[in-house]
């Protein structure tokens, strides 16, 4: 009954390079994807929160998935975010991305309207009934203001509605129970953590992989960490994590900014400083980081050794 | 510099009748709109939270506004919700509704992605620069998890970016200051409260009107209250409000439900029980109220005298 | 069955003057109390949040109530805050203040430990069973992180457990229902609003009085407003409120401060600038406002005409 | 400059056995303490949240610490919670417990009044200046609604104000940075996690120990886990944690209860079912668990093998 789509390893949520007119920079996107695939990732997640899905028109979403599918070319699975307020718009996006060749869809709880006690589970079941594609639940209360319960997630896994979970909830207790209940149910779900600063703890809890935004900057570090985990080398798992936690300070050394602009803004600025993105352009209405904030990020990269 | 679009009085956020297949029931919609206009409302707000904008495909949104513009036929202004996650999608909806003949757009703070300190003001300014139509800011933190500040709203009013505000924040202190600062600035904004249970207090604070979801059920009550306010008859203003607060209990007498399904679900159920809507059908994934919950709502309507 | 203690009118929560060694300045306290009583208040509330109860040792609490009872000398009722984490400590304080001659006690929901579904109601009932004194429930979720429901409050009023409510919740919808249910139950509760910026709206909702911290600065304004309300002169009620809302900006014109230090700190600074308090000393660990912040508060007082 | 008090290992926050008249059951307390010490704990924490400090009169607090110091008799350090709303009451408790022979004090951020930007750091510095005893900061935002920052904690460690931290924040990202910054500063702080379900992740992050409420039930499990951590045996660390996470379900299998009554109530019920506590009596106003809830807890204990 459970989905036969599964995934194990590092699945970066891909950050999108924009030109100064805010259009997709396809060449930079191709180089970025190839760098991630070459690093040994297990899959790529497009149009997630870091992939600025919220800021995207339908046309932009379509271009991102079309190019992603072309560039990835079946080297790893393509997971496509179908993030929108409620069920019907999610179905619309799901139809589109599956037509374009995605391998799985990623869906949050509904948001904007406050859900009642049955709405969230109905939402996932209705979408599964509509499209049948492998589906990951994306648990991201900081954006949708609703926490998915481990009990519901495992129930949906057992029923074949969900193939997996991307847990960006920051709730490591809930994550532990998700792993335990999933194991007890025969492991229907691929359980991935989006919690980039404590991926090591999630592996100890039994995670099947990770979806760290920071892997856009340092995919090798997260792949090394995964390989150490597979080898049972926990000292490397934790020391690699400490190094990555220090790198993650690019998102907190800045001043006078916050939210998405401080987080994904720092990722784009780091990729620009490292020579991998031609700009650090952000989508409307967010301003790109500049001045002292760029210098502060560069300082962190220099400490870690990612720039000179 | 300030917008020359203004509005004073009751502006119901129109609830949408659906057939059992969840398509728009155009005939019931026409009767419902005509009932509201005949009651003496000052405008109609379509595709708000109560107008289930979050649950609507782009095609459904277009149909709602097209039919609304046709039916209203310039008897009162048509305000059209352009609710979406971020700036570019809001611009898309704004272009659509203005092409279809709406008189003004209604826009929330961006949501899903966490905004930085300048993003929200940039959002409204970017949309104004793009379309120039009369724009109302919709302050609804319960849905978008961000509170618009009175200072920013009045600044945007003075600069002609905003024509008004629909305040559904439930923060009556902030509302008081919004009214005071707006007066001090020469009253650039039409300030409307969406706070249906204490509209009387908002009028005392200086509101230019109200946007009560409950006016879908009892438009006459809210229009009588507005007229009493214009006449300085505060005893009628408050006693009418007490009556309407009792009617609003249709949204809290139910059990085992919550959120949008308990709120708009109760409105639709009441309209169905009163013979005005052929069904109480809800959009996917929300279930219509049934059984004891319908009976409890009917009980409230009977106490108020809206059904026998 | 209902308590026979009732109160109608303005009941300031009294701010406490400290010497520079943080001991009670009894002379200034006496002058302050007399000024409030002379203004025509209906009662005085000591050891509330504004009365820095949280910062007080048991000895300091005892001194405050002892001196208050002596100074007030039965001219108006003395309400004494018995604010502490859980039931037994509240009982301890209640015994003390009643021995010292207070007329009624004021009690919040328990805090620190998270309450279960019956704990809050049990708390009030247990305290009533212990002491039997007239008791006001103090609804202040910003401090105790729990909202008292109108249904529970009226039930406790009907049962004689509560004589009244001080509502500082900022939830004007809940307040409206509290007034409606209280009326329906035969008005067992004296319902007072602590919501100083929109007292007018609370009176429109049916409040029996107010507990405005700002009345420490301008008791005459709140008493004039109350008298206008009693006379049905709503235009005076609202214009007086607008004036007081402008005065309340002493709590928001400051910079680099927040919370209690910005709120009660502004009250004490204003009283000092007006020559009524010898210092603006705050309790440990809060720093008194100084420099530009004092100047900004003085600017607001000058605009209102309370200093030259 | 840093404190010379340090601790490494398991430090249970001791649950308090009450007689049916809610007085301390000294005999059961003695047996309980001895069981914990014999299991190999590194210290004992009295009058924490689990030690029902919020529900205690000053006399009860004094009795608990007096008996604890007598029973422990220097076998392990006694940490005494000095939990109260603001600085002066904390100083009062600190004086008492140090007189009674405690080895260190445990202090939260101030609560009830909303703190300004400097109040929390001033609070810890003022208390240190007053008493000078080894002090642990207790980071428990669920009770005090304020999160202590890693930067401030390490600064206070470097300055000798704090000897350690008990982190019950549930924020594992903040905890990781606390460990990293503490290491960079020369390890002035003993960093303990209160996060009983994912202690393994905290050890991976570099914790110096744990303060798990659940260790009242199963001290041997947490001590085995600590010893495995010291030996670098991570597979035992995680499998022991999985077992303890399953045991922790005693706090979530109950129905119709919540908060402290569901958490500490389950601990007391389990200890009663295991024959270690003569009653599962709770402090006023909390009701003891009964009926089906006791049976559900017993079911969990049976699955783990702690009862037959």
């Amino acid at each position: 009954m459970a989905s036969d789509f599964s995934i194990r390893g590092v699945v970066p949520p891909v950050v999108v390079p924009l030109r100064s007119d805010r259009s997709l920079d396809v060449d930079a996107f191709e180089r970025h994807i190839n760098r991630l695939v070459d690093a040994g990732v297990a899959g790529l997640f497009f149009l997630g929160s870091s992939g600025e899905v919220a800021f995207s028109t339908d046309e932009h979403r379509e271009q991102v998935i079309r190019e992603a599918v072309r560039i990835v070319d079946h080297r790893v699975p393509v997971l496509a975010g179908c993030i929108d307020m409620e069920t019907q718009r999610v179905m619309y996006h799901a139809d589109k991305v599956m037509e374009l060749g995605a391998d799985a869809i990623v869906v949050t709880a509904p948001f904007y309207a406050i859900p009642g006690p049955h709405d969230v589970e109905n939402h996932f079941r209705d979408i599964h009934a509509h499209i049948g594609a492998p589906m990951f639940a994306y648990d991201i209360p900081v954006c949708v203001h609703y926490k998915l319960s481990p009990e519901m997630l495992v129930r949906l896994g057992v029923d074949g509605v969900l193939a997996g979970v991307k847990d960006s909830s920051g709730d490591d207790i809930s994550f532990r129970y998700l792993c335990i209940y999933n194991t007890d149910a025969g492991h229907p779900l691929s359980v991935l953590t989006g919690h980039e600063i404590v991926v090591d703890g999630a592996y100890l809890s039994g995670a099947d992989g990770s979806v760290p935004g920071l892997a856009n900057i340092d995919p090798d570090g997260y792949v090394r960490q995964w390989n150490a985990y597979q080898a049972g080398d926990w000292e490397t798992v934790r020391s690699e994590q400490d190094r990555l936690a220090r790198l993650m300070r690019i998102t907190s050394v800045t001043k006078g900014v916050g939210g998405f602009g401080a987080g994904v803004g720092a990722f784009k600025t780091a990729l620009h400083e490292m020579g991998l993105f031609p700009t650090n352009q952000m989508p409307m209405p967010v301003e790109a980081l500049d001045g002292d904030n760029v210098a502060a990020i560069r300082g962190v990269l220099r400490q870690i050794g990612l720039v000179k």
Side-chain angles (χ1 to χ4, degrees), chain A:
Chain A
M1 254 315 218
S3 170
D4 54 8
F5 183 97
S6 72
I7 201 160
R8 288 180 57 79
V10 179
V11 183
V14 184
V15 171
V16 177
L18 299 182
R19 293 202 196 85
S20 57
D21 66 357
R22 298 199 180 91
S23 64
L24 179 67
D25 184 331
V26 176
D27 290 344
F29 193 44
E30 183 150 1
R31 289 193 302 272
H32 188 54
I33 290 172
N34 288 336
R35 175 175 179 251
L36 297 174
V37 172
D38 291 348
V41 301
L44 289 169
F45 171 33
F46 296 93
L47 296 180
S49 307
S50 301
E52 55 201 46
V53 66
F55 300 89
S56 302
T57 61
D58 289 0
E59 291 69 29
H60 183 81
R61 290 187 185 217
E62 182 169 336
Q63 186 187 15
V64 166
I65 298 301
R66 186 186 306 281
E67 296 295 343
V69 168
R70 176 186 65 77
I71 297 165
V72 172
D73 194 22
H74 305 290
R75 290 177 287 173
V76 296
V78 167
L79 285 70
C82 298
I83 316 295
D84 218 320
M85 288 183 269
E86 295 284 347
T87 315
Q88 301 223 67
R89 279 284 291 169
V90 174
M91 289 175 176
Y92 169 85
H93 296 303
D95 286 344
K96 281 279 178 187
V97 302
M98 294 309 293
E99 279 169 34
L100 292 166
D103 297 294
I105 61 174
V106 184
V107 174
T108 70
F111 53 96
Y112 187 82
I114 303 170
H118 309 300
D119 294 354
V120 176
E121 185 160 346
N122 286 350
H123 173 73
F124 287 110
R125 290 190 184 277
D126 288 347
I127 293 164
H128 178 68
H130 173 77
I131 188 142
M135 175 160 52
F136 280 70
Y138 188 0
D139 191 16
I140 186 156
V142 73
C143 290
V144 305
H145 303 274
Y146 186 92
K147 174 76 185 82
L148 303 177
S149 78
E151 290 84 355
M152 184 194 77
L153 290 168
V154 173
R155 188 163 62 238
L156 292 174
V158 168
D159 290 351
V161 171
L162 293 179
V165 176
K166 180 196 169 185
D167 185 320
S168 296
S169 71
D171 181 339
D172 55 351
I173 293 175
S174 168
F175 190 81
R176 186 59 163 245
Y177 283 117
L178 175 58
C179 291
I180 289 176
Y181 300 162
N182 191 42
T183 299
D184 288 353
H187 215 113
L189 299 168
S190 295
V191 176
L192 311 178
T193 179
H195 213 17
E196 57 229 306
I197 292 171
V198 283
V199 170
D200 57 349
Y203 289 161
L204 206 53
S205 282
D208 297 302
S210 57
V211 189
L214 190 64
N216 283 278
I217 316 302
D218 191 356
D220 296 328
Y222 283 101
V223 171
R224 275 196 303 272
Q225 184 189 37
W226 170 260
N227 291 336
Y229 167 32
Q230 294 306 298
D233 175 6
W234 288 102
E235 291 305 324
T236 298
V237 170
R238 76 194 298 207
S239 62
E240 195 66 59
Q241 186 64 65
D242 279 336
R243 197 183 66 84
L244 292 163
R246 289 175 188 278
L247 175 57
M248 190 64 181
R249 281 179 46 76
I250 56 173
T251 62
S252 58
V253 289
T254 48
K255 291 191 176 146
V257 294
F260 179 84
V264 174
F267 291 165
K268 288 195 167 183
T269 298
L271 289 164
H272 180 51
E273 293 298 306
M274 292 164 69
L276 298 168
F277 272 26
T279 74
N280 69 342
Q281 178 68 50
M282 297 294 284
M284 214 178 325
V286 184
E287 294 159 355
L289 297 174
D290 61 8
D292 289 349
N293 283 335
V294 172
I297 288 170
R298 192 167 181 90
V300 174
L301 295 173
R302 196 180 302 117
Q303 285 179 334
I304 303 292
L306 292 182
V307 302
K308 290 188 187 168

